[in-house]
Amino acid sequence: MTDQWHQPLRHIKSGELSGDTGQTSGMRRLEAISGKTAGSRKVWMGETHVGPATSSGDHHHGEAETAIYVKSGHPVFVFADGDEEVRLETSPGDYIFVPPYVPHREENPGDEDAVVIIARSSQEGIVVNLPSLWAPVEGPE
């Protein structure tokens, strides 16, 4: 018998991550935990890979809050603060928080893959690709 208090655990093995999720140019996003892979209702989790000397396209994740853990490499997270471009340089073990609707991109100036683990406050892998960090963003009404 299963009810809300007695649901089975889901085990997603590393080789079972799916690329069948929203993508952004310059990176590869892999989905692990989502509504479709694990039946989650409030969380999406996965990872992204950005190759050496590569930048992702500018994008945001809609209404979802995003938490990022840097697993390997030294990715740089870039966002706009008014007219200024802000660059957050990271190392393995660092965390980044991305609020809803904030346009950003990931850059990898290094010579090894940058891999980050991502958790979002949505069971969907929301990805909205943008032409620039300063593109108008439709937020909640």
Side-chain angles (χ1 to χ4, degrees):
M1 175 172 140
T2 61
D3 57 35
Q4 68 178 347
W5 306 110
H6 299 92
Q7 296 292 316
L9 299 183
R10 286 293 320 244
H11 180 190
I12 310 301
K13 296 181 179 182
S14 62
E16 297 175 345
L17 275 59
S18 170
D20 185 22
T21 188
Q23 297 292 332
T24 300
S25 64
M27 67 173 19
R28 183 170 50 111
R29 196 174 281 116
L30 299 172
E31 182 174 74
I33 306 294
S34 69
K36 69 182 172 191
T37 65
S40 67
R41 289 183 242 161
K42 297 181 181 178
V43 68
W44 183 98
M45 191 168 188
E47 62 186 50
T48 63
H49 297 244
V50 178
T54 302
S55 295
S56 77
D58 299 325
H59 61 281
H60 70 77
H61 302 289
E63 65 189 11
E65 293 182 331
T66 302
I68 299 170
Y69 171 77
V70 179
K71 180 177 176 181
S72 64
H74 295 274
V76 177
F77 295 86
V78 183
F79 66 98
D81 187 5
D83 292 338
E84 299 292 320
E85 185 177 277
V86 178
R87 303 173 61 77
L88 304 175
E89 297 180 8
T90 66
S91 296
D94 289 355
Y95 291 84
I96 297 287
F97 174 69
V98 182
Y101 298 100
V102 174
H104 61 282
R105 73 173 168 267
E106 289 85 43
E107 297 180 355
N108 181 5
D111 56 4
E112 64 177 312
D113 273 6
V115 179
V116 302
I117 306 302
I118 298 173
R120 291 206 190 102
S121 62
S122 167
Q123 84 284 3
E124 297 178 38
I126 301 169
V127 177
V128 179
N129 293 308
L130 302 168
S132 78
L133 292 177
W134 289 272
V137 174
E138 295 288 324
E141 304 218 9

